[in-house]
Every structure is written in C-alpha cells, then in structure tokens.
Amino acid sequence: MADSYYEDGVELTQEQIDFFLERMDSGEECVAGSEVHKLMTAASERAMRITSRMNAEFTSLSDTRSQLERLFNRTVPDGVGLFVPFTTDCGLNTHLGENVFINAGCRFQDQGGIYIGDRALIGHNAVIATLNHNMDPVKRANLLPAPVHIGADAWLGSNVTVLPGVTIGEGAVVAAGAVVTKDVPARTVVGGVPAKVIKEL
C-alpha cells in the first residue's frame, strides 16, 4: 500500500478505506504502530478536517446532510437529521437508517462500527464508543474493535454513553446519563451507571 496518507491533508483512497474497514469489521486486534493503526490515525485526521468545517460553517440542515455523506463515505437517507456540533474520530463506519435524528453535541467513535436503526433518536451529548484498549499494560496501546447496534425506534437520552459491543433493542429507551455496558432488551427502559432495566414498555 502507498504511504501517501502519512502526509497531512491527504485523503485516503477507496482501496485504503476498504482495507481498513475490513480489518475493523473482523474484530481483530489493531496493534499499535501497524499498517491498520496508521490508517486509523489517517482516518481520524480526515474526520477532524471534515467535522471541524461542518461545525464551524453551518448553513443548513440539508448541507449538513451532504457533508455527512462525505464524512461517512456513503449515501445518507433523506430523512436523517443531525444538529451540529457533531464529532467523530473516524466517520467511515457509521451506518444510519431512515429518519434517524442525532441531536447536538454527540460524539461517535465508530471504528468498530455503529449501526443505528430506522427512526432512532440520539439525545444531546451522547457518546457511542466502539474501541477498547488491551488490558495488558504491555499491549495497552493496542485497540480492540467491537460494533454497537441500536435498534429501530430506540431513544437514547441526553449524556448517554454506550460502550463497545453493546446492542440496544428495538424500541428501547436509555435514560439520560446512563452508561450502557451490556445489551439492552427490546422495549425496555434502562438507566443508571451501569444501566439496568427499570421497566418494560
């Protein structure tokens, strides 16, 4: 692979993006300093360039949606809405369903894959993470990707944090401020740190 992506401001090629996503989606450990780790850094720089402009130069919601398509490197459904500011340290592995709404201040760490189902609502300042560090101090800089799946019609309240590998079921509600460390059953309300089922819907 060419190493042009080490230079500031150079866009990743589609070949590099495809290789990077294939490795991330495999769940295989990303070793610090490896080719994949360098691509991850380049993807982060790319995402910061796009989101910094998107957040600083807001003109319209439709323009924001078109910038999201550039950021995500794929078509975004017409009904998707997002209020800036929005940040991500990758952007290439976020997948949105129809009529998803993402409120202001959200932060997506999507290297491991974020999948948000139709009509899901993501509240202010939500954090969705898909990477863990290796627990062995000698390998602490290595990264372990794991996807987050958010079902159709789910609602994440303000200041929710969703950790790697979690699935939130269809129609579930995550109360404001909750930290979701394990799967959430469909049509339940969860809250707290760590989040626990409060009731069924």
Side-chain angles (χ1 to χ4, degrees), residues 20-95:
F20 171 68
L21 291 178
E22 181 182 350
R23 291 294 299 275
M24 290 295 100
D25 291 342
S26 75
E28 185 176 327
E29 184 168 359
C30 176
V31 176
S34 67
E35 184 78 4
V36 176
H37 190 258
K38 291 171 183 175
L39 285 170
M40 184 182 292
T41 300
S44 294
E45 292 181 358
R46 173 187 178 275
M48 286 186 281
R49 284 196 300 274
I50 295 171
T51 56
S52 64
R53 291 180 187 136
M54 182 173 76
N55 295 330
E57 301 172 6
F58 175 81
T59 57
S60 67
L61 293 176
S62 60
D63 179 65
T64 295
R65 205 180 69 75
S66 66
Q67 291 189 64
L68 282 178
E69 292 190 336
R70 179 178 170 224
L71 175 64
F72 295 161
N73 196 41
R74 63 175 53 84
T75 300
V76 172
D78 288 339
V80 165
L82 180 142
F83 286 178
V84 295
F86 170 78
T87 56
T88 176
D89 56 2
C90 179
L92 295 168
N93 211 2
T94 293
H95 310 264

